[in-house]
Amino acid sequence: MFISKFSRLGAHAIKSMVKAPYFTPRTSYLPVVHNHYLRTLRHEPFCTGAEKNADEGSEEKKKISVTFVDKDGEEKHIKVPVGTSMLEAAHENDIELEGACEGSLACSTCHVIVMDVNHYNRLEDPTDEENDMLDLAFGLTETSRLGCQIIAKPEIDGIRLVLPAATRNFAVDGYKPKPH
Amino acid sequence: MAIFGKLRWISRSFTSLPANPLRICVVGSGPAGFYTAEKILKAHKGVEVDIVDRLPTPFGLVRSGVAPDHPETKIVINQFSRVSQNDRCSFIGNVSVGSSVSLPELRQMYNALLAYGAESDRALGIPGEELGGVYAAREFVWWYNGHPDCRNLAPDLTSTDTAVILGQGNVALDAARILLRPTVELARTDITSHALDALEESSIRKVYLVGRRGPVQAACTAKELREVLGIKDVSIHVKQADLVTTPADEVEMKNNRIRRRVYELISKAASSGPSPPLPGQRELHFVFFRKPDRFLESDDRSGHVAGVHLEETTLEGDDLGKRIAVGTGIFDDISCGLVLKSIGYKSVAIDSLPFDHYKGIVPNVGGRVLSDSTGDLPQYETGLYVCGWLKRGPTGIIATNLYCAEETVASISEDIGKGVLTSNSSKPGREGLLQLLDSRNIRVVQFDDWEKIDAEEKELGNLKNKPREKLATWEELLQVASE
Ligand SMILES: Cc1cc2nc3c(=O)[nH]c(=O)nc-3n(C[C@H](O)[C@H](O)[C@H](O)COP(=O)(O)OP(=O)(O)OC[C@H]3O[C@@H](n4cnc5c(N)ncnc54)[C@H](O)[C@@H]3O)c2cc1C
Ligand SMILES: NC(=O)c1ccc[n+]([C@@H]2O[C@H](COP(=O)([O-])OP(=O)(O)OC[C@H]3O[C@@H](n4cnc5c(N)ncnc54)[C@H](OP(=O)(O)O)[C@@H]3O)[C@@H](O)[C@H]2O)c1
Ligand code: FES
């Protein structure tokens, strides 16, 4: 299980390097992010993927602007180091984005909606595995993604992400709320 | 003796709270219980939440349901454990509401939120259901996941080469995967050793997944399906004729992304076709449009199942997405020595609790328990709420309970705002509960006791290269908890 996930993430990483010319190629890119995230949660000292690889090229030091729009419509503007996932970024900035499986692509609670189609199109296509989890996301839209799978890169500078509204759509998995 | 220590500890933890905090008892420590606790604690600084569970272990189906080969799904227990660390929250295990303490007693001490899940099974109501070798999938899952109530289930996996699983939901797929997956792969998971040993000896080579509707209506989701289709050394069998879709099917798929993706995966698996079977290779058969009519008894093993008699079905009804399977009067059999009924869990009523026996849920509006829904104006039970599978019925993933908890907590917050729920010195909360349990000689298991179980399980697992070796009997669990 772990092995297959690893290779899957590896494949995703390779794909993203091929597609994203600004990237300094490095191996095991996503797993680094993942481990870093787990460490953050355990409150252990850590260095971000970007810092760790600072000597690999100035591109890595860059931060991009990201706006989160929360459930009440309030906006929060943050700077996110290139290479960091939106889930990590949200948690480092006290933004209430769930992440039940801590970025392992097994829960769909980190669902975000990309507000601008242009930004959405600049992201890698979701893998089958991400689509499988998106199937179960609440309030799925055409530009929905999983926050743990969106990794900051210069092309998406200025991206705006909406947290799905509190008025949920329970239709997932066959359930519809009915007043008695 | 122990109780004094506890009471002292409790009075200490009261210091940061108002003299008379609002006390809420969450019954059930699964996702619904923990998510509601988390949200109440966050929204109301003056509220104290205790989570009781009938087991000595927390986390509900995340421990006893989620498959051993899904470790990522279980990561959510980190978040639940952080909730338990909150000063205003306690886990109190080994307390069964309805037997250790009655619901009316509990409600005298607390406002109550019921999230005790679904611990029974929908029944088929057909002849032969009581035969040996016919199990509810819940029992089989509890057995391999180490729920102490099914430690001794001992399903016979050695007298037959065929298992039939009725139902095509994700639980059915979990069970199929456990039966078919190479045991060397399972050995690296937290599956219980008693189950692993039995699976290593298993003679089951063929598993039939039987659905009463078609591939477009299969209740499973794409991730689980992809996994079961990808098991090493298993050939997949689907009848081409079952894949023919009707215009109604097409509309259903157009309207529902899950249904479309599930259908695509099944038809892709069918078109790549079973390669000529290698000797000893295992087989997974998807059987559609068949509903169970009765179980057949074995001639040479009296009282034991020998097969399932199935009736062919077609779909009827205009309500797309809810078309039902009706029998055509044409029958066929599948011979098998093991049957798992995976047609859904069912909640159990306790004490005086209002209960809708037809739906198997506690009647509620937005999580407020209805005492009487017959009149024009709904009547609610004061200080009684519900969440999770007990509120909605036994469907939905872990995340569904998060949104379900948001809804119930919104109702609670509204009631606190309206003054319906107020802190009340006549509700003694934890102190009262612990005293009552002590007088009944019930030894509670608190979160730090669970941590002893957790540490022991991880240590035992370490010796076998597994993430943990679950303690699967009541005696062992309570023994380690009290060390
Ligand atoms: C086999 C199986 C596998 C699953 N796998 C996944 C998966 O991989 N991913 C996913 O997202 N979802 C999965 N689910 C769904 C998920 O587990 C449920 O949505 C969720 O657990 C329901 O939460 P709950 O809190 O309502 O109930 P539960 O999790 O069942 O929790 C109920 C708790 O109440 C306790 N309890 C029961 N009776 C009493 C009583 N009288 N007094 C005190 N305590 C009591 C129980 O011990 C239990 O701890 C699975 C479900 C099953 C059945
Ligand atoms: N990995 C995961 O995410 C995961 C794993 C396990 C479980 N879960 C979730 O847990 C929930 C419960 O799963 P589940 O599999 O128990 O339930 P489920 O998804 O509701 O599936 C029940 C199955 O039983 C069939 N069925 C019901 N009554 C029947 C009858 N009388 N005769 C024949 N067939 C009958 C249903 O067919 P019809 O459709 O025709 O009614 C369906 O195929 C689901 O929401 C599931 O997604 C998730
Ligand atoms: S955090 Fe679970 S899928 Fe993203």
Side-chain angles (χ1 to χ4, degrees), chain A residues 98-166:
Chain A
E98 289 282 335
C101 75
E102 299 179 0
S104 313
L105 209 44
C107 76
S108 82
T109 60
C110 61
H111 171 207
V112 293
I113 299 164
V114 183
M115 271 182 92
D116 176 353
V117 183
N118 288 327
H119 279 132
Y120 178 83
N121 289 337
R122 275 179 228 141
L123 296 168
E124 312 306 323
D125 289 343
T127 56
D128 284 344
E129 288 76 12
E130 184 179 348
N131 272 324
D132 288 353
M133 290 327 299
L134 279 172
D135 275 356
L136 308 175
F138 292 86
L140 188 72
T141 70
E142 292 287 319
T143 61
S144 286
R145 291 299 298 260
L146 293 179
C148 66
Q149 303 302 306
I150 303 181
I151 311 297
K153 58 179 181 178
E155 298 94 312
I156 58 167
D157 189 22
I159 194 169
R160 288 160 65 82
L161 302 172
V162 183
L163 309 187

Side-chain angles (χ1 to χ4, degrees), chain A residues 102 131-132 135 138 168, chain B residues 78-79 226 257 261 403:
Chain A
E102 299 179 0
N131 272 324
D132 288 353
D135 275 356
F138 292 86
R168 309 283 181 169
Chain B
N78 292 347
Q79 188 177 344
R226 201 185 294 283
R257 163 181 161 132
R261 298 185 75 238
Y403 308 116

Side-chain angles (χ1 to χ4, degrees), chain B residues 27-33 52-55 59-62 65-67 70 73 95-97 115-119 141 171 174 224 345 350 387-390 392 396-399 401:
Chain B
V27 181
S29 67
V52 304
D53 201 288
R54 76 178 185 89
L55 294 182
F59 313 132
L61 284 167
V62 180
V66 172
H70 285 173
T73 308
V95 178
S96 176
V97 174
Y116 65 76
E119 300 213 314
V141 172
V171 172
D174 273 355
E224 300 273 310
Y345 284 42
I350 50 169
C387 190
W389 278 18
L390 185 61
R392 314 186 312 269
I397 56 168
I398 292 168
N401 303 291

